[in-house]
Amino acid sequence: MRKKPDPEAMKLSEQIQISKRAFHYLFSLGRPHVIYLYLIGNTIVQNVMPYVSIFFSAKLIDALYEGRPAAGLAVLVLLTVGSIFLLNLLGTWLSSGYAVASDEVFRSQGWDQCQKALKMAYASVEDADVAALRARIDMESQTGYNLWYLSECTRRLVASLTRIVMSFSLTVSFFLLEAVPFFMKAALAGGILLSLVCGVDMNRKTEACRQAFMESCVDANVFSGKYYQYIEHYSSGKDIRIYDMARSLLETNREKMEDLNLNALQMHWKICGLKAVDLLCTYLLRFGVYLLLLYGAFAGQVTVGSIARYVSCVMLLLGACSEMVSALQRQFVNNRYLKRLFSYLDIPNPMYQGTLTVEKRDDNACTVEFKDVSFCYPNTKTYALRHVNVKFQAGEKLAVVGQNGSGKTTFVKLLCRLYDPTEGEILLNGVDIRKYDYQEYMSLFSIVFQDFKLFDFTLGQNVAAGKRYDRNKVCQCLVQAGFGERLDAMPEGTESYLYKGYDGSGVELSGGEGQKIALARALYKDASFLILDEPTSALDPVSEYQVYSRFSEIAGDQTAVYISHRLASCRFCDRIAVFDGGEIVQMGSHAGLLFREGQYRKLWEAQAQYYTE
């Protein structure tokens, strides 16, 4: 049966390019000259030590056999112990330095990936494929692939090269012995080469087994990450207990783990068989080495100490060569994971950043116009918006209503440039918004989305969206958002932690309280545009009415866009845009729309019947 080609296989030239880029990337993350100074120095020291011991031990055995004086023996013992002690001392220092430097580098890698997530286009953040790629890279990094294996393979290569040089230097004298025939020396060299070829092949097949197993575990690992994240978070405990989910969750996890363990067992049995073949070749060679050394000893040219030295060095040489090949093979495998990491880091940000400065005005005066705007999300062919035309002035309060999926939230995402239109253009003061500096343009908007996020930081930091904040301004915004009474009850005021992620005494919030804090955050920013996407969906009727009745006060002179399913809130807005099927089907005031046939009146009557029956 013809073997299918590996879709992730790379040519040698690509392997080299990935490795070069990986080292450049590693060198950009911290103090690479320090980490590699410690890594290479410690590796050389650790791998020279066995040869120091072998060399002096052989000398000591020969001295004992020859009956040398006790003083000479004592000197050899002191040299052996002292050398190893000093090398161990140096190795410990280098190892400690490497641990500190590598920790800095790997923390920098994590932060670099976070920065990538913060800087990529919002379309990529919402892309399910990008999210899956990020989750996979995180999981692979936790298992050692990417940068850790890059350092580990470097260490193994340096170690094997050190052992090869030391082994060769201590065994080369054997091939110069005149008493050992040339064909025996050639047979030994051939045996070493044959053992190396066998080891290389076994390592290649072992790595292939591991790689196939790791590929089969991708979905299970991603599942496990999400699974443990869910069951370990304290907020999940209520649902698990109320709905008696524990048995079902445990059963699901057991099934996944049983499949994973079965695959792991099969992999290890295969590797065990391959290792057995490799060991057989190695010990056959060792047997041959002993025979040759015994021949040399009977010929009177190999001392007792030399026998121990040659056997040890030949075995170490074989192990070093095998280790070097294994390290290269592991690096080639790791390059696949590095390629995936770089594919994530290389995701482009297609959003044109613009260069024009957004004019700052004390009165926040500006005009926004959607001019024949249509939009469909990436990787889809269905339009979320079609031929939208709307214009609103500074200080105007615009309500956006419609059924689920009618395009309301998409309208807001385009307005604040989380996406660019597929067709048409959006103008700010007559200029295409894509021409403005991206960050400056984004600074015009304060938004409360339906899926807003509060963090496990202090209340003040959540409102200010930053580490430092103006306490008086935070309190003012919280009171304005209807959180005043709850603020008075907070144990540490604005310094109270929300939730329990960082502080066990953190305050748990209801959905409505969280919405009020999110509204206060929008007010704290004091931007030109205030956009509220279902801002009262979690509020009780009294709190909801308070927000409605004080809507003009809350918005002030800001231009406000108010999205809601509850049409009663629209009475407080200057104009209402009614969306249906991605189009604006009606535009007008609450009174004007209510007293004529159309989508708005249908929606109003559908909601009103529950209050009039």
Side-chain angles (χ1 to χ4, degrees):
M1 185 176 178
R2 187 176 180 181
K3 188 177 179 180
K4 293 182 180 179
D6 186 350
E8 293 189 336
M10 292 187 286
K11 295 180 179 178
L12 181 60
S13 59
E14 187 179 7
Q15 292 275 9
I16 294 172
Q17 290 301 318
I18 291 290
S19 296
K20 286 173 61 178
R21 181 176 177 183
F23 280 108
H24 283 303
Y25 178 61
L26 182 67
F27 273 50
S28 71
L29 292 176
R31 297 178 295 165
H33 57 289
V34 175
I35 188 175
Y36 271 89
L37 175 65
Y38 285 128
L39 174 66
I40 293 173
N42 180 54
T43 302
I44 291 174
V45 168
Q46 296 296 334
N47 286 275
V48 164
M49 274 195 287
Y51 294 93
V52 172
S53 180
I54 290 170
F55 177 79
F56 282 113
S57 295
K59 292 289 185 184
L60 187 60
I61 291 171
D62 286 340
L64 284 168
Y65 184 76
E66 295 168 4
R68 293 184 186 177
L73 295 175
V75 170
L76 285 173
V77 170
L78 286 173
L79 285 173
T80 303
V81 175
S83 300
I84 293 175
F85 171 75
L86 291 175
L87 287 171
N88 261 310
L89 201 62
L90 177 60
T92 300
W93 177 73
L94 291 170
S95 179
S96 300
Y98 172 70
V100 174
S102 62
D103 185 63
E104 176 186 339
V105 167
F106 294 123
R107 287 181 183 275
S108 297
Q109 181 202 1
W111 176 239
D112 188 64
Q113 288 180 222
C114 289
Q115 285 184 308
K116 176 62 182 179
L118 292 171
K119 292 179 180 179
M120 66 171 53
Y122 185 73
S124 297
V125 175
E126 278 200 328
D127 191 315
D129 291 336
V130 173
L133 176 62
R134 172 66 185 269
R136 182 171 182 177
I137 289 171
D138 288 343
M139 187 65 66
E140 289 168 351
S141 296
Q142 290 173 20
T143 56
Y145 286 100
N146 297 322
L147 292 190
W148 188 86
Y149 269 130
L150 179 66
S151 296
E152 178 63 11
C153 290
T154 302
R155 184 196 65 77
R156 291 172 64 188
L157 285 171
V158 173
S160 56
L161 285 171
T162 302
R163 291 205 298 265
I164 288 170
V165 170
M166 295 301 296
S167 296
F168 183 76
S169 65
L170 293 180
T171 55
V172 67
S173 59
F174 172 79
F175 292 93
L176 301 177
L177 296 176
E178 295 180 359
V180 179
F182 175 77
F183 77 90
M184 289 187 177
K185 297 173 184 176
L188 175 60
I192 292 173
L193 183 61
L194 180 63
S195 181
L196 287 176
V197 171
C198 179
V200 168
D201 189 52
M202 294 305 105
N203 277 326
R204 179 183 62 80
K205 291 178 178 178
T206 297
E207 286 298 328
C209 284
R210 287 200 177 98
Q211 177 66 17
F213 173 70
M214 292 296 294
E215 289 297 325
S216 70
C217 292
V218 170
D219 291 338
N221 286 334
V222 172
F223 167 83
S224 295
K226 300 294 184 183
Y227 174 86
Y228 291 123
Q229 184 180 12
Y230 173 74
I231 64 173
E232 289 175 357
H233 198 276
Y234 68 91
S235 64
S236 307
K238 298 187 291 294
D239 289 333
I240 292 174
R241 286 158 179 78
I242 294 296
Y243 293 102
D244 192 21
M245 298 165 62
R247 183 178 301 175
S248 175
L249 288 169
L250 291 171
E251 182 70 22
T252 301
N253 186 59
R254 189 176 74 247
E255 291 173 359
K256 291 282 185 181
M257 292 304 103
E258 284 178 351
D259 290 341
L260 196 65
N261 291 337
L262 180 61
N263 290 336
L265 182 63
Q266 292 173 347
M267 175 198 69
H268 285 296
W269 274 117
K270 290 179 182 178
I271 291 176
C272 183
L274 294 170
K275 291 290 185 183
V277 174
D278 191 22
L279 282 172
L280 179 63
C281 292
T282 299
Y283 278 90
L284 285 174
L285 178 63
R286 176 175 287 196
F287 179 72
V289 171
Y290 273 116
L291 290 178
L292 286 176
L293 291 174
L294 287 173
Y295 180 89
F298 283 120
Q301 290 197 359
V302 179
T303 65
V304 176
S306 295
I307 291 176
R309 186 182 76 189
Y310 290 142
V311 171
S312 298
C313 288
V314 168
M315 292 302 104
L316 287 171
L317 175 64
L318 288 175
C321 293
S322 177
E323 177 76 0
M324 182 175 66
V325 173
S326 176
L328 287 171
Q329 289 172 332
R330 175 58 61 88
Q331 181 56 38
F332 288 160
V333 171
N334 189 48
N335 281 344
R336 297 184 177 191
Y337 295 87
L338 285 166
K339 183 178 180 180
R340 191 154 33 243
L341 170 63
F342 293 142
S343 73
Y344 174 76
L345 296 177
D346 290 341
I347 293 174
N349 186 344
M351 299 290 287
Y352 180 66
Q353 300 300 301
T355 56
L356 294 182
T357 300
V358 177
E359 183 182 359
K360 303 288 185 180
R361 298 183 53 158
D362 294 335
D363 58 359
N364 285 328
C366 55
T367 302
V368 175
E369 181 180 5
F370 276 63
K371 199 170 182 180
D372 198 30
V373 170
S374 297
F375 177 76
C376 60
Y377 284 96
N379 304 317
T380 65
K381 296 181 180 180
T382 303
Y383 277 84
L385 291 181
R386 283 185 174 276
H387 306 296
V388 172
N389 290 279
V390 63
K391 185 175 184 179
F392 46 100
Q393 306 291 334
E396 186 175 3
K397 309 299 183 284
L398 176 70
V400 177
V401 302
Q403 295 179 317
N404 288 331
S406 60
K408 304 185 300 298
T409 299
T410 302
F411 173 78
V412 169
K413 289 179 178 178
L414 292 177
L415 173 61
C416 57
R417 266 209 88 189
L418 293 176
Y419 290 94
D420 283 332
T422 306
E423 300 169 11
E425 58 183 355
I426 304 171
L427 308 176
L428 173 66
N429 296 330
V431 178
D432 191 324
I433 61 174
R434 286 172 285 200
K435 295 182 179 180
Y436 288 109
D437 178 270
Y438 186 76
Q439 295 300 325
E440 280 195 34
Y441 180 79
M442 293 285 282
S443 69
L444 294 176
F445 298 93
S446 291
I447 309 174
V448 181
F449 283 109
Q450 296 179 62
D451 53 351
F452 66 88
K453 176 67 176 176
L454 297 180
F455 302 95
D456 294 6
F457 303 147
T458 66
L459 174 61
Q461 290 171 340
N462 270 280
V463 173
K467 186 175 181 180
R468 297 176 179 83
Y469 60 89
D470 182 333
R471 183 179 179 280
N472 291 331
K473 186 177 179 182
V474 166
C475 293
Q476 180 183 350
C477 292
L478 286 168
V479 171
Q480 195 174 359
F483 196 79
E485 291 185 12
R486 188 69 174 91
L487 174 61
D488 294 336
M490 297 289 275
E492 301 293 334
T494 58
E495 284 297 299
S496 300
Y497 275 88
L498 304 186
Y499 312 114
K500 302 183 185 300
Y502 294 116
D503 192 316
S505 61
V507 178
E508 291 293 325
L509 301 172
S510 67
E513 289 170 338
Q515 245 176 358
K516 291 177 182 178
I517 295 173
L519 178 57
R521 179 162 58 197
L523 297 175
Y524 186 92
K525 187 177 179 181
D526 193 24
S528 300
F529 288 84
L530 176 63
I531 301 176
L532 307 177
D533 189 353
E534 294 289 347
T536 62
S537 60
L539 297 182
D540 59 81
V542 174
S543 298
E544 182 181 36
Y545 176 76
Q546 290 174 347
V547 172
Y548 291 163
S549 61
R550 294 190 298 108
F551 181 58
S552 294
E553 176 189 342
I554 290 173
D557 62 351
Q558 293 173 296
T559 305
V561 178
Y562 190 94
I563 301 176
S564 180
H565 285 99
R566 301 177 185 178
L567 302 191
S569 63
C570 300
R571 292 177 297 176
F572 302 96
C573 297
D574 301 318
R575 282 193 300 161
I576 302 168
V578 184
F579 278 75
D580 187 41
E583 300 180 31
I584 296 180
V585 294
Q586 285 183 290
M587 178 74 77
S589 66
H590 169 72
L593 293 173
L594 190 58
F595 292 103
R596 71 170 185 257
E597 292 294 330
Q599 183 69 13
Y600 185 80
R601 183 170 174 176
K602 290 180 182 178
L603 293 173
W604 176 271
E605 290 175 348
Q607 291 184 10
Q609 64 176 319
Y610 296 106
Y611 296 93
T612 58
E613 288 181 355

